[in-house]
Amino acid sequence: MLEAGCEPDEVACGTMLCTYARWGRHKAMLSFYSAVQERGIIVSVAVFNFMLSSLQKKSLHGKVIEMWRQMVDTGVTPNNFTYTVVISSLVKEGLVEEAYKTFDEMKNFGFVPEEVTYSLLINLSSKNGNRDEALKFYEDMRSRGIVPSNYTCASLLTLHYKNGDYSKALSLFSEMESNKIPADEVIYGLLIRIYGKLGLYEDAQKTFAEIEQLGLLSDEKTYVTMAQVHLNSGNFEKALSIMELMRSRNVWFSRFSYIVLLRCYVLKEDLESAEVTFQALSKTGLPDAGSCKDMLNLYMRLGLTEKAKDFIIQIRGDQVEFDDELCKTVMKVYCKEGMLRDVEQFLEEMGTNGSFKDNKFIQTCFMAKHRESNRSEEADETIEALDQPNAMAFGLMLSLYLADGSTRNTEEILKLLIKTAGGLSVASQLISKFIREGDISKAETLYDQLIKLGCRPEDAAIASIISLYGKQRKLKQAQKIFAAVAGSPATGKPIYNSMIDAYAKCGKPEEAYYLYKEVTEKGHDLGAVTISKVVNSLTNYGKYQEAESIIHKSFRDGLELDTVAYNTFIKAMLEAGKLHFSASIYERMLSLEVAPSIQTYNTMISVYGRGRKLDKAVETFNMARSMGVPLDEKAYTNLISYYGKAGKSHEASILFSKMQEEGIRPGKVSYNIMINVYANEGLYCEAYELFQAMQRDGCSPDSLTYLALVRAYTGSLKYSEAEEAIISMQKEGIFPSSAHFILLLSAFAKAGLIGEAERIYRELFMAGVSPDLACYRTMLRTYMDYGHVERGIAFFEKISESVEPDRFLMSAAVHFYKSVGEELKAERVLDSMDSLEIPFLTNLEVGSKTKTPRNISE
């Protein structure tokens, strides 16, 4: 048109330009526009908008900006649409300040920006870390009543997440819900991350489930985010299940996904899967330092030292980029195995690595190595350059030389260490660390060398050594260490506590008690834990008076005691038989609002049960239940036992059933106690039924089970069943004791079945059981009660040389001898009793029960 010599007007030019724009012929459009400009023709804002929009659709943002500037130069007034397009292109081209300036200009001319414009600028500010600017744009948008899109919300949520403003992020999400702004998978993923950071793991899981229910779950990042939340909560099993779910749905695994999956397998200690995953990770590029560290730690945890060494060779050969943590992990392996040469090579390699130039760990190792190599000048220069040497480095280097048996090198490093600020503290911490990790010889060597250098380790280290000797029952060594520091005013609570604990562990409760008294009289508060240990030790050795004195003193001094201390006190006084005092301790505990534990309630059931206060025992049991304390088998069994002793077998049976209803599976002790309850009541049918139930439940009867069953049968005069129970237990490979036979023997004796009693006595020997004193007394009393004098005398004379002197046996023998006129023999037994200061039983009577015994075996 221009070439034909016709002079076009503004409308015709605008139409042509729009036609070129519509056809996407941007080169022709721009060329024609240049010609239009040369003729001084100014097209309308609508034409400019059409051209700008067309250029932007093809992502020609530079051309958009160029035309915008030409438009401004020609004096064409832009409208709302113009600003919207131009600001978008300015943002896309990274012209931040010009975009902000144009936006302000747009508002100054009275135009209201669209949501998309606000969204672009909010996203731009967020990416640039300009939180205040982003929030200003958002507040301006909301003040104009514009509802944000989910893209805008996602930008702000990301901003809040990066800045740790989790409460603001959650508030924004609530605002989205109120305005019915639909959340997409990206927003839900951010929400899961935020919940994870706040420790709201259940909320994170619910959100993940919601994404799945809405059909939005598709992005790898969402799966991995949820897996990371599970890992951070310590639940690697759930994290692994998420990653396996992702794999089962054929969701693509990125490099980061493999890193997270590897972490799951490492925590699970699934070596085979971890190695396969590491290989898959390696195919995406060189593995990251964190994953290498995880693999190394896994090998070491599983005791696969050779694999760890080979792995280090592999990653060093592959030139994996080491970070500080991987560097430390490699050094741990080398130093633990005493690999001196490898340490030297590794330190040289790291020393030439620019990224470790200012690394304190490497510098400290380097310093220690130079000192050992007699390059003390270089070492001293390194010391001066280091404000605080790395404690781990010293520990590893000391471990290296201790493993290598190099005493001189260890001393050199120690000398170097104690010259530094806080060096003695570092050495002391290493002693404690070695003890915790089981490197006892290293701890002892280090301790001895510090003493040799005239340094006293910190209290925690000394206490660790004393505690170690206490556990090993090496009391003399513990006392030696303690004696060296006991007189010092600097000696603190940890040392006294460890020495008291050592005495307790070595079976010296009185020494523990005297040291406790000595220290507390000086005004030291040794704490609830040590008080508990002393009282428990005294109680275990029957020193109840001393235990009681400590309890009274702790109450007088108003010491703050914990639940364990109160439990120890109550149990101690229970064992001392001071039931009233036990109860008062419990009342004090409640009054001071110290929370009872299940152990407290169990012990108090015993206190009340033993004191024949069954109603109080039941009340305590019910109180524990009402307080929401999870009752265990011991609590149920304890109360069942006292029901049984009170003759309340029905109540005991109901409670036993209740225990099972609560999902508590009875163990052997519980079954034995319940069978005993039935046995004491003569309920042999119930006892046998429970015996069978016990076996069906997979719980094997023991000697005590059969003893209770025999008692149930003999109490109901079921002699053959009782005898069959004894035979049955022998078939099961359970060795009967004298107690089993005595029950049956006594039952026959009480019924006057002397011959049967004698038969059982003989079977006792045939079973390889040695009769005890109770058995001898039962047999002799049987002969006494039923007037079998000759048998009684023969029995006494047969056992008299093998049994300890006993009042009943010797008194019965005197009565037997006198009844047949054997006065001389009677006198001899009486003289023996006098010399042993054994009182004579005068009230025994030969044949007191019957003169006509039944079923006598001749």
Side-chain angles (χ1 to χ4, degrees):
M1 180 169 60
L2 292 176
E3 290 79 357
C6 301
E7 195 64 34
D9 59 11
E10 175 191 340
V11 175
C13 290
T15 302
M16 197 63 193
L17 286 169
C18 289
T19 302
Y20 282 132
R22 187 179 299 111
W23 290 347
R25 295 175 62 184
H26 297 112
K27 192 172 181 181
M29 180 190 77
L30 293 172
S31 176
F32 186 79
Y33 177 68
S34 295
V36 169
Q37 277 185 308
E38 287 173 3
R39 287 165 173 76
I41 300 170
I42 301 174
V43 296
S44 68
V45 66
V47 174
F48 273 111
N49 285 348
F50 204 91
M51 291 192 292
L52 290 169
S53 177
S54 179
L55 290 168
Q56 189 178 76
K57 284 175 183 177
K58 293 296 181 179
S59 298
L60 299 170
H61 301 294
K63 295 295 183 183
V64 170
I65 295 166
E66 185 181 332
M67 181 163 284
W68 154 253
R69 287 169 180 163
Q70 289 172 357
M71 175 183 172
V72 172
D73 290 343
T74 58
V76 176
T77 304
N79 61 16
N80 199 319
F81 182 81
T82 317
Y83 280 113
T84 300
V85 173
V86 170
I87 290 170
S88 175
S89 289
L90 287 168
V91 169
K92 296 289 172 59
E93 287 293 289
L95 300 173
V96 180
E97 293 304 321
E98 192 172 346
Y100 287 160
K101 181 182 176 183
T102 305
F103 179 79
D104 290 338
E105 182 184 301
M106 176 185 187
K107 289 199 300 176
N108 290 337
F109 280 121
F111 296 117
V112 177
E114 294 180 10
E115 196 282 336
V116 67
T117 305
Y118 278 109
S119 184
L120 280 169
L121 294 173
I122 288 169
N123 186 50
L124 176 67
S125 301
S126 297
K127 284 181 177 177
N128 290 335
N130 196 335
R131 182 182 66 172
D132 294 339
E133 197 71 40
L135 292 176
K136 186 181 78 174
F137 284 127
Y138 180 72
E139 287 163 8
D140 183 41
M141 179 181 74
R142 297 299 289 131
S143 70
R144 296 176 184 274
I146 300 172
V147 177
S149 65
N150 60 2
Y151 181 79
T152 304
C153 293
S155 299
L156 281 170
L157 283 169
T158 304
L159 178 66
H160 290 320
Y161 176 77
K162 287 180 178 177
N163 286 296
D165 292 333
Y166 305 128
S167 59
K168 287 184 179 178
L170 294 177
S171 176
L172 177 59
F173 188 77
S174 297
E175 189 179 326
M176 286 178 64
E177 289 181 320
S178 300
N179 292 313
K180 297 182 179 179
I181 301 168
D184 58 14
E185 188 178 2
V186 173
I187 290 173
Y188 277 120
L190 281 167
L191 194 59
I192 290 170
R193 285 186 193 177
I194 291 164
Y195 283 140
K197 288 287 185 182
L198 293 172
L200 302 171
Y201 303 119
E202 287 186 12
D203 291 309
Q205 289 182 74
K206 286 177 184 175
T207 304
F208 185 78
E210 187 178 339
I211 301 172
E212 194 160 21
Q213 288 166 7
L214 292 170
L216 298 174
L217 185 58
S218 62
D219 196 320
E220 170 224 16
K221 290 179 181 177
T222 310
Y223 287 97
V224 174
T225 296
M226 189 66 240
Q228 284 182 292
V229 169
H230 284 311
L231 284 176
N232 292 336
S233 70
N235 197 331
F236 65 84
E237 291 286 359
K238 284 188 176 180
L240 187 56
S241 70
I242 293 291
M243 298 304 291
E244 288 172 347
L245 175 67
M246 175 179 163
R247 174 173 280 165
S248 70
R249 293 176 176 175
N250 295 319
V251 178
W252 178 76
F253 266 61
S254 68
R255 177 180 174 83
F256 186 66
S257 294
Y258 282 117
I259 291 170
V260 173
L261 182 61
L262 175 64
R263 184 76 183 135
C264 293
Y265 286 132
V266 167
L267 290 171
K268 190 182 177 183
E269 297 189 350
D270 183 346
L271 179 62
E272 184 179 353
S273 299
E275 289 181 326
V276 170
T277 306
F278 186 81
Q279 287 170 6
L281 173 63
S282 300
K283 289 177 182 177
T284 68
L286 279 177
D288 62 293
S291 296
C292 294
K293 183 198 75 171
D294 286 342
M295 285 301 297
L296 264 181
N297 284 330
L298 177 60
Y299 286 134
M300 294 306 289
R301 277 204 307 274
L302 296 176
L304 302 171
T305 309
E306 291 306 314
K307 278 207 166 195
K309 293 177 185 177
D310 291 341
F311 185 78
I312 294 171
I313 293 170
Q314 177 189 328
I315 60 176
R316 287 177 67 183
D318 291 342
Q319 296 188 330
V320 168
E321 188 175 341
F322 277 58
D323 65 3
D324 188 49
E325 290 302 313
L326 180 56
C327 183
K328 289 174 182 177
T329 306
V330 169
M331 282 291 288
K332 280 180 187 177
V333 176
Y334 285 154
C335 293
K336 186 176 182 181
E337 296 303 309
M339 300 167 69
L340 184 58
R341 185 162 185 168
D342 293 271
V343 167
E344 291 172 350
Q345 291 175 351
F346 185 69
L347 287 176
E348 289 298 326
E349 185 181 315
M350 291 298 107
T352 59
N353 188 326
S355 60
F356 287 93
K357 181 182 178 183
D358 298 319
N359 185 282
K360 284 190 177 182
F361 176 80
I362 293 297
Q363 287 180 329
T364 306
C365 291
F366 180 83
M367 171 177 59
K369 188 72 193 69
H370 280 183
R371 190 72 174 192
E372 170 267 321
S373 304
N374 292 321
R375 292 157 71 182
S376 57
E377 288 183 9
E378 290 183 59
D380 290 339
E381 287 175 9
T382 311
I383 292 175
E384 290 174 7
L386 279 175
D387 294 329
Q388 179 63 48
N390 187 279
M392 178 183 280
F394 272 120
L396 291 177
M397 294 302 287
L398 284 169
S399 294
L400 174 67
Y401 293 123
L402 285 167
D404 190 51
S406 178
T407 305
R408 186 184 67 80
N409 290 338
T410 306
E411 286 183 0
E412 286 298 318
I413 293 174
L414 269 181
K415 287 177 184 176
L416 194 65
L417 176 58
I418 59 180
K419 285 180 181 178
T420 64
L424 182 59
S425 179
V426 170
S428 298
Q429 290 169 27
L430 288 172
I431 292 170
S432 299
K433 177 176 175 288
F434 287 143
I435 290 173
R436 283 195 307 273
E437 294 176 351
D439 287 333
I440 309 306
S441 61
K442 290 179 184 177
E444 290 176 322
T445 302
L446 189 53
Y447 181 87
D448 291 341
Q449 287 184 346
L450 279 174
I451 297 299
K452 184 179 176 182
L453 292 171
C455 300
R456 169 183 159 154
E458 292 180 344
D459 280 9
I462 297 171
S464 295
I465 289 282
I466 293 172
S467 294
L468 169 67
Y469 289 137
K471 288 175 185 175
Q472 295 178 335
R473 306 293 190 271
K474 295 179 179 179
L475 186 58
K476 286 185 178 178
Q477 288 94 321
Q479 288 174 314
K480 182 180 177 183
I481 299 289
F482 179 71
V485 297
S488 170
T491 299
K493 176 178 170 180
I495 295 176
Y496 291 121
N497 284 344
S498 62
M499 192 63 229
I500 288 170
D501 186 49
Y503 279 132
K505 283 186 168 66
C506 293
K508 300 290 182 182
E510 289 182 320
E511 284 82 348
Y513 172 63
Y514 291 134
L515 179 56
Y516 171 81
K517 277 187 67 177
E518 179 187 335
V519 175
T520 53
E521 284 170 3
K522 291 178 180 177
H524 291 282
D525 175 10
L526 297 181
V529 174
T530 296
I531 294 172
S532 298
K533 287 179 179 178
V534 177
V535 170
N536 190 54
S537 177
L538 290 168
T539 304
N540 290 340
Y541 285 87
K543 305 290 181 181
Y544 303 121
Q545 189 174 344
E546 291 85 349
E548 186 177 356
S549 72
I550 289 179
I551 296 170
H552 282 299
K553 185 177 188 305
S554 67
F555 289 164
R556 283 196 308 272
D557 294 345
L559 298 181
E560 187 175 341
L561 303 169
D562 58 12
T563 301
V564 175
Y566 276 106
N567 288 349
T568 305
F569 291 179
I570 294 168
K571 183 174 176 287
M573 292 302 96
L574 169 64
E575 293 187 19
K578 300 207 169 187
L579 305 180
H580 180 72
F581 189 26
S582 289
S584 71
I585 295 170
Y586 175 64
E587 294 298 331
R588 178 188 179 92
M589 178 184 188
L590 295 181
S591 69
L592 292 174
E593 298 183 350
V594 178
S597 64
I598 182 62
Q599 288 76 21
T600 315
Y601 292 117
N602 278 338
T603 308
M604 285 312 301
I605 290 169
S606 296
V607 169
Y608 292 131
R610 205 176 288 182
R612 299 185 179 181
K613 295 180 178 179
L614 185 58
D615 56 336
K616 294 287 287 182
V618 173
E619 182 186 317
T620 302
F621 181 88
N622 291 333
M623 181 188 293
R625 179 183 287 167
S626 67
M627 295 295 289
V629 176
L631 297 172
D632 56 12
E633 184 188 3
K634 185 177 179 181
Y636 278 97
T637 304
N638 212 4
L639 188 55
I640 288 167
S641 172
Y642 288 114
Y643 269 136
K645 288 176 182 178
K648 294 180 178 289
S649 59
H650 179 66
E651 289 83 349
S653 179
I654 291 172
L655 191 58
F656 188 81
S657 298
K658 179 68 176 174
M659 175 175 72
Q660 292 171 297
E661 289 170 11
E662 293 292 328
I664 299 172
R665 186 177 176 183
K668 193 173 293 185
V669 173
S670 297
Y671 274 114
N672 288 350
I673 286 175
M674 194 62 228
I675 293 171
N676 252 317
V677 170
Y678 288 138
N680 291 337
E681 292 291 300
L683 301 171
Y684 67 90
C685 290
E686 288 84 347
Y688 182 64
E689 285 174 9
L690 190 58
F691 175 79
Q692 289 181 310
M694 177 183 185
Q695 292 176 304
R696 285 195 302 271
D697 200 26
C699 191
S700 301
D702 62 5
S703 178
L704 293 174
T705 316
Y706 281 102
L707 185 65
L709 192 60
V710 171
R711 182 180 292 109
Y713 285 134
T714 55
S716 301
L717 307 181
K718 297 292 180 179
Y719 308 122
S720 60
E721 288 86 347
E723 195 166 349
E724 183 58 38
I726 294 174
I727 294 168
S728 176
M729 72 182 288
Q730 290 174 287
K731 288 179 181 177
E732 293 293 327
I734 301 170
F735 194 68
S737 68
S738 180
H740 293 81
F741 288 100
I742 288 174
L743 285 171
L744 189 53
L745 191 154
S746 297
F748 281 135
K750 287 176 183 177
L753 302 173
I754 310 304
E756 293 299 299
E758 290 180 325
R759 178 178 65 80
I760 295 300
Y761 183 75
R762 289 193 297 272
E763 288 184 4
L764 180 147
F765 283 97
M766 291 169 63
V769 178
S770 298
D772 58 13
L773 184 59
C775 187
Y776 291 138
R777 285 177 175 175
T778 301
M779 284 303 299
L780 205 58
R781 179 170 284 284
T782 301
Y783 293 135
M784 169 72 68
D785 290 344
Y786 290 96
H788 291 279
V789 178
E790 291 180 3
R791 292 183 184 180
I793 289 172
F795 185 81
F796 174 76
E797 290 179 349
K798 184 177 181 180
I799 67 169
S800 60
E801 296 299 322
S802 59
V803 70
E804 290 291 321
D806 176 71
R807 185 183 185 191
F808 174 77
L809 295 181
M810 297 177 83
S811 297
V814 171
H815 284 286
F816 278 134
Y817 284 135
K818 285 187 175 182
S819 68
V820 294
E822 295 277 1
E823 294 293 338
L824 187 58
K825 288 184 178 181
E827 285 299 323
R828 286 177 185 166
V829 177
L830 280 170
D831 289 343
S832 180
M833 291 178 74
D834 287 340
S835 65
L836 293 170
E837 297 183 351
I838 299 174
F840 176 66
L841 293 170
T842 58
N843 58 348
L844 296 181
E845 182 183 351
V846 178
S848 61
K849 288 194 175 179
T850 178
K851 299 297 181 182
T852 320
R854 298 180 287 132
N855 196 26
I856 300 174
S857 174
E858 294 298 328

